[in-house]
Amino acid sequence: MSLLLPLGLFALAALALPIALHLLRRPEDRIIPFAAWRYLSRESLPRERLRIRQWLLLLLRLLLIAALALLVSMPVRRADAGSPVQWIVVSPQLSAQAARAALDRPNAEWHWLQPGFGSLDEPPSRAIDLGLLRELDARLAPTDTLAVIVPECLSGLDAVRPELSRAVEWIVVGGDPTQAGRAPLVVVRHDEASAAELATIDALRSAWQAAGKPVDFDIAAQTQAIDARAQLLVWLGGEPSEQALRWVREGGTLLRSRAGEGAWPLREEAFGQGRIFSITTALDPAATPGVADAGFAARLREDLLRPARPPDRADALGFEPLRTGRPPAPRNESLDDWLIWIALALFLAERACAAWPGDRRD
Amino acid sequence: MLIPPDLLASLAGLRVRSRRLGLGQGIGQHASRGRGAGLEFAQYRAYEPGDELRRIDWKLYGRSDRFFVRDAERDSPLTLWAIVDASASMGQADTLVPERTRLAAARTLAACLFELALRQSDRFGLVLIAQDRVFVHEAASGRRHRDRLHFELVRAEAAGGWPIEPSLLPLWQSMTPGAVVTMLSDGFDERALAFAERLSAAGRDVSFVRLLTMEEREFPFEGGPRFRDPESAREQRVDAARARADFLHRFGESRQALLARLAASGVRACEAFTDQPLDLPLRRLFGSRDSAQ
């Protein structure tokens, strides 16, 4: 057992308080000047019983204060390891099927390398953060094994290679088309009255194709789901769905037409980690004359399709985590619950002892 | 205010009288009653222990088979003395009312006696026993003298014990035989009692008021306090609840014994408690004969 906050032991100085109180109460000094004192018979006080109860009370109070002081010091115990577990984390840049195909470990725990380490059976969110490997390394027992499945082109890096206390299995899955080479994906969701706007979208696609920067489009009704790897979401008419808003909040870009409030020229509004551009009119030249401008397509591509994240890609083969000689961070189990129950029991015992009907005079 | 107004008002009917025959001024050295002028019959009153046997009317006894004493019309001028014991034990008071000490009651009683003497145009004097010494203020009459004695009373503090024998010698000269002497004390000092008895045996009309606190009468204490003797500073820790019955019994016996002993010596004795009105002891000592007791 060790203490997370050893300075909290200074709270033990409060032990002096009950001792001082008991010492001060000892001389129950009522001195009564009494001229007829010689007529008082020499009866002994029933002090023996009183003394024992007072000592017991003092002991209970000291123990209670010691328990509280220990609580302040946050005692922890080295947690037991348990049986070794095999963990496999997959970068959300890959798909679940590709990951399972790359490694066949039926008894392992499959998780996404994302905050919360969700199970592989659930769809991942947009967050990509390789630094979570450090957290996982600290969380797992020293006897657990860890395998990491990443694509060839890693994203979500910070400036330092992760240094872990264990050796990880670093599995690079190639062959999956990486994001760098792929064309950006624009997801368009429209309602029924968007015929003119869809024509504008078509025109944008042709313009970008002609400029040598092809863009993939996914055009569907608003009830369709949204691919998480999209770069831009265009919402034509109506309120964006919950999934769309969640996607934007995690770092996506949304362009809304026929919105409640908006501005022209396009103005960026932050929404969580993403951005929203709204216009109040329809996205066609009749309603919004600026759409027919010569440089509109190019400007749109530059402003809206630039990635919201700063460049952070690296080659996966060169980014395998290092193993340091440092011992793994200790996994501690807090003893707070035990101490709280002990302190409660001591408190009740002390109150019961103090309130016990007895010779409590003076 | 030494005497509260209601107490002053209740003194209205009291008269201080001597049970003995006064020698008077200028009537010669013989105390015999039958000769000489100045002693006229006033009334008969019932005999009280301590009255001189000479004053009993034997003819009336022959007729009625009861003892009656003749009272004289023109009393010889009376000298009233108050002996206030201001030893350390007189500073004791009830725990709940610490300003109501025995000495405070003694002061009030002495002031009442002076008041009565003033009304009767008699002379009065004060003896203060404090700090192991004796302070005598000679008898005189008049309001100024009363105010002087009030001042001395108020100044007195409870301290010390009973003085040594030689200090008491001046008293024998000041308190002439026939004087009415009232001793206000707590009765715990044997020497005070002995002195009162000697005074009474030597021809003074001595009364003794024993001043006690309510706690000495009831012993209402709880717990285990320490009781300290004010004059010797000796202490005793006692379990109050268990010691109560025994204390009341033993102290009660000693109280009765003291009163009996003083009465046997011719001293009019009564007890006064600090929580009771102070005209009670005065009535008991000096009240009208039918209301005595």
Side-chain angles (χ1 to χ4, degrees), chain A residues 53 56-57 60-61 344-358 360:
Chain A
R53 267 192 58 229
L56 180 63
L57 211 55
L60 284 175
R61 286 173 183 160
L344 193 64
L346 281 174
F347 176 68
L348 290 175
E350 188 258 343
R351 282 292 92 203
C353 186
W356 194 264
R360 278 221 65 239

Side-chain angles (χ1 to χ4, degrees), chain B residues 26-90:
Chain B
I27 298 190
Q29 293 179 353
H30 294 285
S32 109
R33 191 182 65 75
R35 327 235 167 98
L39 294 172
E40 295 169 16
F41 171 72
Q43 62 172 8
Y44 287 108
R45 64 174 170 83
Y47 170 79
E48 274 184 0
D51 289 341
E52 295 185 345
L53 293 181
R54 259 184 305 174
R55 297 174 64 184
I56 297 178
D57 193 329
W58 296 108
K59 262 190 27 211
L60 202 46
Y61 171 68
R63 269 188 270 144
S64 68
D65 231 355
R66 287 159 67 192
F67 294 107
F68 289 100
V69 154
R70 294 179 69 108
D71 256 354
E73 168 85 359
R74 241 180 19 228
D75 289 332
S76 48
L78 201 59
T79 307
L80 204 72
W81 283 94
I83 304 184
V84 173
D85 176 3
S87 58
S89 57
M90 291 292 285

